[in-house]
PDB file of all heavy atoms in Angstrom:
ATOM      1  N   PHE K 359     -36.645 -30.350   3.289  1.00  0.00           N
ATOM      2  CA  PHE K 359     -37.459 -31.317   4.027  1.00  0.00           C
ATOM      3  C   PHE K 359     -37.228 -31.175   5.525  1.00  0.00           C
ATOM      4  O   PHE K 359     -38.188 -31.280   6.307  1.00  0.00           O
ATOM      5  CB  PHE K 359     -37.143 -32.748   3.583  1.00  0.00           C
ATOM      6  CG  PHE K 359     -37.994 -33.216   2.426  1.00  0.00           C
ATOM      7  CD1 PHE K 359     -37.524 -33.151   1.125  1.00  0.00           C
ATOM      8  CD2 PHE K 359     -39.260 -33.705   2.649  1.00  0.00           C
ATOM      9  CE1 PHE K 359     -38.306 -33.572   0.058  1.00  0.00           C
ATOM     10  CE2 PHE K 359     -40.064 -34.124   1.591  1.00  0.00           C
ATOM     11  CZ  PHE K 359     -39.579 -34.055   0.299  1.00  0.00           C
ATOM     12  N   ALA K 360     -35.992 -30.923   5.940  1.00  0.00           N
ATOM     13  CA  ALA K 360     -35.715 -30.803   7.374  1.00  0.00           C
ATOM     14  C   ALA K 360     -36.250 -29.492   7.953  1.00  0.00           C
ATOM     15  O   ALA K 360     -36.753 -29.460   9.066  1.00  0.00           O
ATOM     16  CB  ALA K 360     -34.211 -30.914   7.632  1.00  0.00           C
ATOM     17  N   THR K 361     -36.133 -28.399   7.189  1.00  0.00           N
ATOM     18  CA  THR K 361     -36.501 -27.082   7.742  1.00  0.00           C
ATOM     19  C   THR K 361     -37.937 -26.676   7.449  1.00  0.00           C
ATOM     20  O   THR K 361     -38.530 -25.926   8.239  1.00  0.00           O
ATOM     21  CB  THR K 361     -35.569 -25.989   7.171  1.00  0.00           C
ATOM     22  OG1 THR K 361     -35.661 -25.972   5.745  1.00  0.00           O
ATOM     23  CG2 THR K 361     -34.123 -26.249   7.593  1.00  0.00           C
ATOM     24  N   THR K 362     -38.511 -27.120   6.320  1.00  0.00           N
ATOM     25  CA  THR K 362     -39.888 -26.749   5.998  1.00  0.00           C
ATOM     26  C   THR K 362     -40.797 -27.978   5.894  1.00  0.00           C
ATOM     27  O   THR K 362     -41.947 -27.846   5.450  1.00  0.00           O
ATOM     28  CB  THR K 362     -39.940 -25.951   4.680  1.00  0.00           C
ATOM     29  OG1 THR K 362     -39.396 -26.754   3.619  1.00  0.00           O
ATOM     30  CG2 THR K 362     -39.151 -24.675   4.782  1.00  0.00           C
ATOM     31  N   GLY K 363     -40.286 -29.131   6.293  1.00  0.00           N
ATOM     32  CA  GLY K 363     -41.089 -30.337   6.312  1.00  0.00           C
ATOM     33  C   GLY K 363     -41.487 -30.833   4.933  1.00  0.00           C
ATOM     34  O   GLY K 363     -40.945 -30.390   3.906  1.00  0.00           O
ATOM     35  N   SER K 364     -42.448 -31.733   4.913  1.00  0.00           N
ATOM     36  CA  SER K 364     -42.909 -32.291   3.633  1.00  0.00           C
ATOM     37  C   SER K 364     -43.553 -31.235   2.763  1.00  0.00           C
ATOM     38  O   SER K 364     -43.496 -31.318   1.531  1.00  0.00           O
ATOM     39  CB  SER K 364     -43.890 -33.428   3.901  1.00  0.00           C
ATOM     40  OG  SER K 364     -43.274 -34.481   4.588  1.00  0.00           O
ATOM     41  N   ILE K 365     -44.166 -30.213   3.371  1.00  0.00           N
ATOM     42  CA  ILE K 365     -44.805 -29.163   2.570  1.00  0.00           C
ATOM     43  C   ILE K 365     -43.765 -28.437   1.719  1.00  0.00           C
ATOM     44  O   ILE K 365     -43.896 -28.362   0.493  1.00  0.00           O
ATOM     45  CB  ILE K 365     -45.532 -28.151   3.509  1.00  0.00           C
ATOM     46  CG1 ILE K 365     -46.703 -28.821   4.213  1.00  0.00           C
ATOM     47  CG2 ILE K 365     -46.025 -26.944   2.695  1.00  0.00           C
ATOM     48  CD1 ILE K 365     -47.408 -27.925   5.211  1.00  0.00           C
ATOM     49  N   GLY K 366     -42.711 -27.907   2.345  1.00  0.00           N
ATOM     50  CA  GLY K 366     -41.670 -27.195   1.599  1.00  0.00           C
ATOM     51  C   GLY K 366     -40.792 -28.122   0.778  1.00  0.00           C
ATOM     52  O   GLY K 366     -40.363 -27.783  -0.330  1.00  0.00           O
ATOM     53  N   GLY K 367     -40.517 -29.308   1.298  1.00  0.00           N
ATOM     54  CA  GLY K 367     -39.646 -30.261   0.587  1.00  0.00           C
ATOM     55  C   GLY K 367     -40.272 -30.706  -0.717  1.00  0.00           C
ATOM     56  O   GLY K 367     -39.610 -30.738  -1.763  1.00  0.00           O
ATOM     57  N   ILE K 368     -41.546 -31.054  -0.674  1.00  0.00           N
ATOM     58  CA  ILE K 368     -42.255 -31.457  -1.896  1.00  0.00           C
ATOM     59  C   ILE K 368     -42.351 -30.271  -2.863  1.00  0.00           C
ATOM     60  O   ILE K 368     -42.224 -30.433  -4.075  1.00  0.00           O
ATOM     61  CB  ILE K 368     -43.652 -32.017  -1.551  1.00  0.00           C
ATOM     62  CG1 ILE K 368     -43.506 -33.342  -0.795  1.00  0.00           C
ATOM     63  CG2 ILE K 368     -44.478 -32.202  -2.812  1.00  0.00           C
ATOM     64  CD1 ILE K 368     -44.810 -33.887  -0.257  1.00  0.00           C
TER      65      ILE K 368
END
Side-chain angles (χ1 to χ4, degrees):
F359 271 97
T361 59
T362 59
S364 297
I365 294 176
I368 292 172

